[in-house]
């Protein structure tokens, strides 16, 4: 049990996906201009990441490993994720049009979010069991959401302040992210 | 558009990292030293050139509805090839870059070029576009890696360049340093380009007058 808690805390805070592992940087800068869209994006990512983690883990241990097809890992995983994103899009469109309208634009973007493929590959690389994999994936997606929402909140404030001319836009966003990453480094003593 | 112009545009005007802000994940993650940046850049360039060639060959046979999954499969195949080749012949670098080699698949730069250039242009043009954009990406990673290596380790490409007085700021090699270094590099580019514009402006005015 302590092992699972450690995996969870490490995934959320210490090895935060965005700020320490550099996965999912594109949406991190792309959709963090407003708090609302940031929340929508992190919800979509949480869902796809968890389902993709489960499916790819099962495929790895029931198909790829027994048949010696490990070299197909990258291709199979990205296809699973692409198909899954399409499926999720269709299901959400049918069952809850409200959620679909608010997530709509972000769903197709998730295919090329390296956090999803990164999490799927890390699960295998770190040789997690099924339960550990589940905890790690959920923790990672919460960490992603946490960083994204915190950053969106800061960015809304930065937009209102008087930034020097040449720092406006992306440069100041990167430096802000750097300071946020610095703050997250404070957690590094939590898990050894 | 001439081939040289396509190449030049990819190298600087459409630079993937500094101008289009694509492929940020590997750009930030592996640039703890200049040599890692070059290795990652060249691996991505190889995948980009190959995928550009194949996409521009098969562009007329792929129905537009399934083109994105088709492109992803093409890219993923070449990434697998590069992954296996690097593991066999450049094992040390492969170990350092680790997870980010398979993640070349989801580098938006490569899919972006397939979608916006290779699917509309001839094979030869696509090759030049791939070389230009790829080397531009490598160049950006090299700059970012050098800045971080000099500030964080006092060396470049493994050679010590700073004197005894210099105390390396280890934070530049750690994750926060990547964001901060890129922020300041982008500031420098904004500043230089703006200065150039101001310098050129009066000259144009004179020639008109």
């Amino acid at each position: 049990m302590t092992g699972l808690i450690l995996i969870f805390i490490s995934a959320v805070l210490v090895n935060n996906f965005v700020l320490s592992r550099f996965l999912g940087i594109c949406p991190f800068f792309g959709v963090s201009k407003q708090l609302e869209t940031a929340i929508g994006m992190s919800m979509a990512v949480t869902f796809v990441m968890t389902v993709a983690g489960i499916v790819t883990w099962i495929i790895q241990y029931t198909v790829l490993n027994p048949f010696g097809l490990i070299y197909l890992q990258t291709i199979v995983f990205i296809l699973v994720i692409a198909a899954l994103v399409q499926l999720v899009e269709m299901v959400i469109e049918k069952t809850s049009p409200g959620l679909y309208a608010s997530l709509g634009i972000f769903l197709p973007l998730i295919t090329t979010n390296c956090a999803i493929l990164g999490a799927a590959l890390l699960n295998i690389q770190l040789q997690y069991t099924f339960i550990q994999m589940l905890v790690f994936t959920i923790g990672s997606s919460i960490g992603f959401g946490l960083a994204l929402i915190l950053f969106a909140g800061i960015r809304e404030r930065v937009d209102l302040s008087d930034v020097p001319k040449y720092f406006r836009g992306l440069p100041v966003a990167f430096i802000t992210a750097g300071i946020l990453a610095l703050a997250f480094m404070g957690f590094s003593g939590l898990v050894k | 558009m001439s081939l040289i112009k396509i190449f030049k545009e990819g190298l600087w005007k459409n630079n993937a990292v500094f101008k289009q802000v694509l492929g940020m994940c590997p750009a930030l993650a592996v640039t703890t030293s200049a040599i890692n940046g070059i290795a990652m850049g060249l691996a991505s360039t190889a995948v980009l050139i190959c995928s550009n060639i194949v996409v521009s060959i098969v562009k007329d046979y792929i129905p537009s509805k399934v083109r994105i999954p088709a492109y992803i499969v093409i890219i993923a195949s070449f990434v697998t090839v590069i992954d296996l080749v690097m593991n066999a012949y450049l094992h040390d670098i492969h170990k350092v870059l680790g997870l980010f080699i398979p993640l070349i698949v989801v580098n938006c730069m490569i899919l972006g070029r397939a979608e916006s250039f290779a699917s509309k242009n001839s094979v030869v043009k696509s090759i030049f576009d791939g070389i230009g954009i790829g080397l531009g990406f490598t160049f950006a990673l090299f700059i970012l890696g050098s800045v971080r290596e000099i500030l964080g380790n006092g060396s470049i490409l493994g050679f010590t360049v700073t004197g005894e007085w210099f105390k390396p700021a280890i934070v530049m090699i750690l994750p926060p340093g990547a964001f901060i270094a890129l922020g300041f590099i982008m500031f420098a580019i904004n500043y230089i380009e703006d200065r150039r514009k101001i310098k050129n402006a009066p000259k144009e005015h004179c020639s008109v007058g």
Side-chain angles (χ1 to χ4, degrees), chain B residues 12 17-18 30 55 83 89 108 152 156 166 193:
Chain B
W12 182 251
V17 175
F18 294 146
V30 302
V55 167
D83 191 12
Y89 297 106
C108 0
I156 180 165
F166 184 75
E193 294 223 313

Side-chain angles (χ1 to χ4, degrees), chain A residues 18-26 28-29 71-75 78-79 82 86 111-115 117-119 121-122 125 165-168 170-175 177-179 181-183 185, chain B residues 18 21-26 28-30 69 72-73 76-77 79-80 83-84 98-100 102-103 105-108 111 148 171 174-180 182-184 186-187 190-191 194-195 198:
Chain A
V18 179
L19 298 170
S20 146
R21 283 195 205 267
F22 298 113
L23 295 168
I25 300 285
C26 291
F28 184 64
F29 285 104
Y71 59 89
L72 286 178
Q73 198 187 41
T74 316
I75 301 180
I78 192 71
L79 273 181
Q86 201 80 52
T111 313
T112 51
N113 181 346
C114 47
L117 183 62
L121 291 169
L122 274 174
Q125 227 172 57
K165 188 179 163 199
Y166 300 115
F167 275 111
R168 258 172 233 160
L170 278 171
V172 77
F174 276 108
I175 293 167
I179 294 168
L182 215 53
M185 267 179 70
Chain B
F18 294 146
V21 202
L22 293 175
M24 292 323 291
C25 302
L28 292 169
V30 302
I72 289 181
V73 173
S77 323
V79 169
T80 309
D83 191 12
L84 294 175
L99 184 66
F100 284 90
L103 284 182
V105 180
V106 282
N107 187 333
C108 0
L111 189 64
R148 288 180 71 189
V171 72
L174 296 171
F179 290 112
I180 294 170
L182 189 56
F184 276 99
M186 281 186 157
F187 156 76
N190 280 351
Y191 182 78
D194 201 65
R195 274 294 128 116
I198 294 170

Side-chain angles (χ1 to χ4, degrees), chain B residues 193-206:
Chain B
E193 294 223 313
D194 201 65
R195 274 294 128 116
R196 229 195 248 160
K197 249 185 244 157
I198 294 170
K199 232 191 217 168
N200 290 341
K203 235 191 272 167
E204 279 167 26
H205 182 73
C206 285

